[in-house]
Amino acid sequence: MFHSRLHSFSRLVISLALPLILAAGLASLAGDARAQDKRQNAPGAFDFYVLALSWSPSFCEDAAERGGRSHIQCGGRPYAFVVHGLWPQYENGFPEYCQRPAPRLNRNIVSSMLDLMPAPGLIFNEWDKHGTCSGLEGRSYFEMIRKARAAIKIPAEYLDLSQAKTVAPAEVEEAFVRANPGLTNAAVSVTCNRTRLSEVRICLSKDLQFRACDELERRACRRDQVTMPPIRGG
């Protein structure tokens, strides 16, 4: 009888306590979510930048194979590495579209960036998706892109590539490391598609100093060799 009463009492205690435990757990989860939301996609709240340099000939060959409409950077001008973007990053993951709608971007800013980012659509998209997360207004953000690009020296062997070149991703990384004092392999990675080199991505601190970043390496090209198509018109 005693054990039966004890068992009934225990069930009553559990039944009374369970809603409180669940409520506490939900409150904790909600607190975690709120803590994350304060950081997630908050303009200016990030850890470092990634400067993405796209190998334009690969982009243009990919676009041609997809049968898409002609892209402005795929005309007659001989583009090599062009700026894809300057992306705010967390140590794990990244913010995007931090202001909806994004503040209107002045077309004079767009025109001024075409030497580095030869497509107005790309410039508008980068502002909407990444620039709004920088905490900077439009002109300052694109000035930051220009400063970041000026801080990077393109290796001489990729400046005037007139014939297709087969390379190992590690070889491209090493070339950038040699050309840029202070840059290490921990701060640069190469991305690719099935056969072609796509981009070189370099991690920079908020004041545009080279810095290591594990997150970049997890998205790096895993192929032994890739192709760099020749510069168009070159």
Side-chain angles (χ1 to χ4, degrees):
M1 178 69 70
F2 174 77
H3 288 294
S4 176
R5 288 179 178 175
L6 180 62
H7 182 65
S8 297
F9 177 75
S10 299
R11 290 177 60 185
L12 177 62
V13 169
I14 292 173
S15 66
L16 291 173
L18 186 58
L20 297 176
I21 295 171
L22 289 174
L26 290 172
S28 176
L29 289 173
D32 290 343
R34 283 195 297 271
Q36 185 179 20
D37 288 344
K38 290 178 183 177
R39 164 91 171 192
Q40 189 73 24
N41 297 335
F46 63 96
D47 298 311
F48 63 97
Y49 286 113
V50 166
L51 177 67
L53 301 174
S54 172
W55 182 245
S56 183
S58 291
F59 170 83
C60 292
E61 290 201 5
D62 290 347
E65 288 175 358
R66 291 193 300 268
R69 61 182 182 177
S70 178
H71 199 279
I72 190 171
Q73 81 181 69
C74 301
R77 292 189 62 181
Y79 292 110
F81 278 108
V82 300
V83 174
H84 181 175
L86 182 67
W87 305 333
Q89 302 281 300
Y90 304 135
E91 294 297 346
N92 293 289
F94 53 89
E96 59 181 3
Y97 299 109
C98 294
Q99 291 179 263
R100 291 180 181 269
R104 188 184 180 105
L105 192 61
N106 189 297
R107 288 190 174 272
N108 290 334
I109 297 174
V110 176
S111 299
S112 74
M113 292 302 298
L114 289 174
D115 60 321
L116 299 184
M117 306 171 72
L122 169 64
I123 295 169
F124 281 114
N125 182 72
E126 290 302 299
W127 168 244
D128 290 352
K129 186 173 183 179
H130 302 289
T132 57
C133 298
S134 68
L136 302 172
E137 55 87 26
R139 189 170 299 278
S140 297
Y141 172 68
F142 285 99
E143 286 175 355
M144 184 71 78
I145 289 181
R146 190 167 292 280
K147 289 177 183 176
R149 174 61 185 85
I152 306 300
K153 184 177 181 180
I154 303 298
E157 55 264 45
Y158 307 136
L159 291 176
D160 189 21
L161 196 63
S162 59
Q163 295 183 335
K165 185 179 181 70
T166 300
V167 296
E171 172 189 343
V172 178
E173 286 187 21
E174 287 294 339
F176 272 82
V177 168
R178 287 195 304 270
N180 293 275
L183 181 64
T184 68
N185 293 90
V188 58
S189 74
V190 170
T191 66
C192 60
N193 64 7
R194 288 177 294 116
T195 59
R196 300 185 185 100
L197 182 143
S198 298
E199 294 186 342
V200 172
R201 296 177 177 176
I202 298 171
C203 293
L204 301 165
S205 64
K206 286 187 174 183
D207 60 355
L208 303 183
Q209 301 300 306
F210 298 130
R211 58 99 81 191
C213 50
D214 295 334
E215 177 79 2
L216 204 68
E217 186 58 32
R218 288 195 283 271
R219 300 196 295 269
C221 180
R222 301 302 178 192
R223 298 192 174 277
D224 293 332
Q225 291 187 319
V226 290
T227 300
M228 295 180 71
I231 296 172
R232 300 170 69 86

